[in-house]
Amino acid sequence: MTGLVILAVFTVLAVIGSWISPYDPSALSAATMSPPSAQHWLGTTNLGQDILSQILVGTRGVMIVGLAAGIIATALAVIIGVTAGFIGGVGDELLSALSNIFLVIPALPLIIIIAGQLPSSGELTVAFVISITGWAWGSRILRAQTLSLRRRDFVEAARANGESLWRIVMFEILPNLTAIIASSFVGTVTFAILSEITLAFIGVTSISDWNWGTILFWAQSNQALARGAWWWFVPAGLCIALLGMALSLINFGIDEFVNPRLRNTGQNARTMRRRGIRARIGFTPVAVPAQPAPLAQPAAPAQPAGPGRKDEA
Amino acid sequence: MTFLARRIGFYLVTAWAAVTLNFFIPRMMPGNPVDALINRYQGQMSSDAIASLNVLFGMDDTSSTFQQYLHYWSLLFHGDLGLSFTFFPTPVGGIITQSLPWTIGLVGLSTILSFVIGTLIGTAIGWRRGTWADSILPITTFFSAVPYFWLGLLAIMLFGVVWQVLPASGGYDGGLVPTFSGEFIGSVLQHGLLPAATIVISSVAGWILGMRNMMVTVSSEDYVTVAQAKGLSERRVMFGYAARNAILPQVSGFALSLGFIVSGTLVMEMVFSYPGIGYVLYQAVSAKDYPLMQGVFLIITLSVLVANMLADLIYALLDPRTRQEG
């Protein structure tokens, strides 16, 4: 929940950031290296650029790359993973070998090498390079799940009914993969954002596009550290951390949805103690109330009847 | 045995793919990097260097791409990664062998440290689920979301600039000559403290979380209940039954992270200007030193492959069930 709110705030900022930013992020001014003040809420750089404006304008670049890379990589993962799991045989062997290779080859150095040799790396190019290296994990999980779905009764039934392959995949398999696809999408977005910011910070990608990594790049290259200009790099880093945390909170949410055992572990310590449940061993206090007390509140919400779980009734 | 053979076959294929990628990436890029570089160095390049460039980029018009590819392989087998431009005329291989020990020493130690600490904390939190211990989780979430290099910047700012207690960059004091003297080792330790601490802080969260979730899953298994019912001591059940089984994925994760010792902390070395392999890659990228870039990439990939292979072997030893799947 918190995760969604933070994500929403950043999404709004990405859209309106460049309108509400008080200054042009690249415009120079006389106030150089000034700490936060009424004119410049987050202070200025050594050239007098307004840092708040840089962060606001930079949000868009971060979000675009994250989203674009997330979409491309997830699409690749779904196509390759589900195909591999569904067709089986030699095709499966080849496709899983391909995704295993991409899984093993270290992503960040590969991205650095490719982006470092491209003459100009715009935002979409970066997103593309990141997604090429980032699809393999999702594809592997999707393949495993498809393999287990392929032989379930409802798929067999659809097959016996003579439904087309395309229809089976679209309407029987994919709906059951929604949670996994969502989780791998969120994971890829996190990975993409961190990679993009790291690339910008190293200075591999275009340093004239504003994003949070570029801000940190300039801060680092202009000795913001040695000059004690904390306002130059602390806000951008906090934004990254907040966004990353929001995304991983969302992913925890999805995880708990998929694996109910992990659910309600933190929030109701007191409830459990009051009802005399020791959480140590066995008996994960997830679904069942301790005694059949008709009026007592259930300890946990009932199993959500989402589309992701209809096969496990 | 077939399991082993399959895995080894897979890693051979992957190594081949990595080398081939390394060969084709510069060739797929638009423009002619060789001319650009020769222009930049304005005749200061020896004919040796130009020749090695031509082989590297396939600008050698007399031979086909396939012949170049074979030639590239034969160079690799002789351990020849070409000459670096930035440190001309040092061979790339030499630069890499100089920087590797720094990376392996520093990152290796801190990886082991964070694995041990993280697994212990994770065991404790997972066992006492539903108590105050769970409140550690949000903090770990925060630290796993913070980009590593930013944590490093903060650490440099606080310890290096504001309080000035620890050196902020480099692997040892510039005035010292690398020898096995007490003074030199002390300086190395002093310079390594800050990078190591930030690595541990940023990576320990992952270990805690993984171990905790496995403990939660394992502790509801029947054999844990049985052990508890037998009246074994709490400690014994926790370590001997629950943690012992929960640690399996951790161990294979640890073997994997050995691979990231070389690759995963590129950014750390860039932030701290630590003289390891990541810093070399950083210098190579900023100087557009293609041979060095590719050599580093190759070494990183190969070390990840070896670590993965180790991870597979360890896992197969620990958990016989995995051996069947292949």
Side-chain angles (χ1 to χ4, degrees), chain A residues 100 104 112-113 116-117 197-198 202 216 220 225 228 233-234 237 240 245 252 261 265 269 279-282 284, chain B residues 10 26 127-130 134 145 147 149-150 153 209 212 217 219-220 228 234 267 282 285 288 290 293 304-305:
Chain A
N100 280 337
V104 173
I112 292 180
I113 298 268
Q117 302 192 355
I197 288 171
T198 309
I202 300 171
L216 293 171
Q220 161 92 342
L225 294 170
F233 59 87
V234 169
I240 302 167
M245 201 165 92
F252 284 160
R261 253 182 197 166
T265 41
R280 292 269 164 89
I281 47 145
T284 315
Chain B
F10 167 72
W127 192 244
R128 313 217 169 269
R129 181 162 49 98
D134 278 343
F149 62 86
W150 186 66
L153 289 181
L209 215 61
R212 182 251 174 200
T217 312
S219 63
S220 56
Q228 189 91 355
E234 184 87 27
V267 186
Y282 178 51
V285 167
K288 300 245 177 246
Y290 296 104
M293 247 149 92
V304 171
L305 287 186

Side-chain angles (χ1 to χ4, degrees), chain A residues 132-152:
Chain A
I132 285 181
T133 53
W135 57 271
W137 182 246
S139 140
R140 183 145 129 171
I141 301 172
L142 285 169
R143 171 179 169 270
Q145 191 63 20
T146 312
L147 270 181
S148 99
L149 286 174
R150 193 162 65 123
R151 291 283 157 224
R152 299 267 173 95

Side-chain angles (χ1 to χ4, degrees), chain B residues 64-126:
Chain B
S64 68
T65 313
F66 184 66
Q67 280 173 322
Q68 290 168 16
Y69 184 61
L70 290 184
H71 187 57
Y72 184 74
W73 267 104
S74 87
L75 285 182
L76 281 188
F77 272 117
H78 292 102
D80 184 357
L81 295 171
L83 299 176
S84 156
F85 308 151
T86 348
F87 306 99
F88 196 76
T90 327
V92 168
I95 299 171
I96 291 175
T97 31
Q98 252 174 36
S99 57
L100 260 183
W102 290 100
T103 302
I104 293 177
L106 174 71
V107 191
L109 273 180
S110 30
T111 304
I112 294 173
L113 208 63
S114 79
F115 169 73
V116 172
I117 298 176
T119 305
L120 283 178
I121 297 181
T123 309
I125 298 182

Side-chain angles (χ1 to χ4, degrees), chain B:
Chain B
M1 217 44 216
T2 49
F3 164 77
L4 262 183
R6 279 184 66 121
R7 292 317 290 169
I8 291 174
F10 167 72
Y11 286 114
L12 286 179
V13 170
T14 314
W16 166 79
V19 172
T20 309
L21 260 182
N22 214 3
F23 174 80
F24 279 110
I25 286 174
R27 284 170 177 72
M28 290 188 304
M29 296 297 160
N32 184 342
V34 177
D35 287 348
L37 279 166
I38 294 174
N39 286 339
R40 238 185 60 201
Y41 281 82
Q42 292 168 358
Q44 288 171 22
M45 232 176 224
S46 73
S47 53
D48 256 10
I50 295 177
S52 95
L53 268 182
N54 279 327
V55 171
L56 182 72
F57 292 108
M59 300 306 162
D60 192 356
D61 286 332
T62 53
S63 56
S64 68
T65 313
F66 184 66
Q67 280 173 322
Q68 290 168 16
Y69 184 61
L70 290 184
H71 187 57
Y72 184 74
W73 267 104
S74 87
L75 285 182
L76 281 188
F77 272 117
H78 292 102
D80 184 357
L81 295 171
L83 299 176
S84 156
F85 308 151
T86 348
F87 306 99
F88 196 76
T90 327
V92 168
I95 299 171
I96 291 175
T97 31
Q98 252 174 36
S99 57
L100 260 183
W102 290 100
T103 302
I104 293 177
L106 174 71
V107 191
L109 273 180
S110 30
T111 304
I112 294 173
L113 208 63
S114 79
F115 169 73
V116 172
I117 298 176
T119 305
L120 283 178
I121 297 181
T123 309
I125 298 182
W127 192 244
R128 313 217 169 269
R129 181 162 49 98
T131 62
W132 59 269
D134 278 343
S135 58
I136 298 179
L137 289 177
I139 306 173
T140 58
T141 313
F142 179 78
F143 275 111
S144 59
V146 173
Y148 171 77
F149 62 86
W150 186 66
L151 204 67
L153 289 181
L154 278 190
I156 293 179
M157 171 91 187
L158 289 179
F159 292 94
V161 179
V162 178
W163 298 325
Q164 304 207 337
V165 280
L166 287 169
S169 70
Y172 52 90
D173 219 323
L176 295 173
V177 186
T179 46
F180 275 98
S181 67
E183 198 189 358
F184 179 71
I185 292 174
S187 166
V188 168
L189 286 181
Q190 211 189 8
H191 280 78
L193 202 57
L194 214 48
T198 47
I199 293 175
V200 171
I201 289 177
S202 67
S203 60
V204 83
W207 298 119
I208 295 181
L209 215 61
M211 189 63 186
R212 182 251 174 200
N213 283 350
M214 267 320 276
M215 280 298 277
V216 170
T217 312
V218 163
S219 63
S220 56
E221 296 279 347
D222 290 343
Y223 54 80
V224 177
T225 317
V226 169
Q228 189 91 355
K230 277 200 288 193
L232 296 176
S233 73
E234 184 87 27
R235 218 185 153 68
R236 183 111 184 259
V237 181
M238 177 167 150
F239 286 112
Y241 289 78
R244 194 173 164 183
N245 287 287
I247 209 170
L248 283 175
Q250 292 283 102
V251 172
S252 83
F254 176 69
L256 283 183
S257 72
L258 289 181
F260 290 107
I261 284 181
V262 181
S263 74
T265 49
L266 301 175
V267 186
M268 178 281 286
E269 294 176 359
M270 297 173 191
V271 172
F272 286 98
S273 311
Y274 201 78
I277 197 108
Y279 191 53
V280 169
L281 181 62
Y282 178 51
Q283 290 169 314
V285 167
S286 30
K288 300 245 177 246
D289 185 343
Y290 296 104
L292 191 54
M293 247 149 92
Q294 294 192 293
V296 170
F297 174 70
L298 207 62
I299 295 297
I300 289 175
T301 310
L302 290 183
S303 58
V304 171
L305 287 186
V306 170
N308 270 276
M309 204 139 87
L310 277 181
D312 277 350
L313 290 181
I314 294 174
Y315 208 75
L317 280 180
L318 289 177
D319 188 353
R321 281 171 299 182
T322 51
R323 270 176 243 171
Q324 268 99 49
E325 291 173 29

Side-chain angles (χ1 to χ4, degrees), chain A residues 254-273:
Chain A
I254 301 174
D255 271 354
E256 289 180 356
F257 179 78
V258 178
N259 180 4
R261 253 182 197 166
L262 297 175
R263 196 182 304 157
N264 84 345
T265 41
Q267 72 272 39
N268 61 352
R270 209 179 304 131
T271 336
M272 292 203 312
R273 209 172 309 127

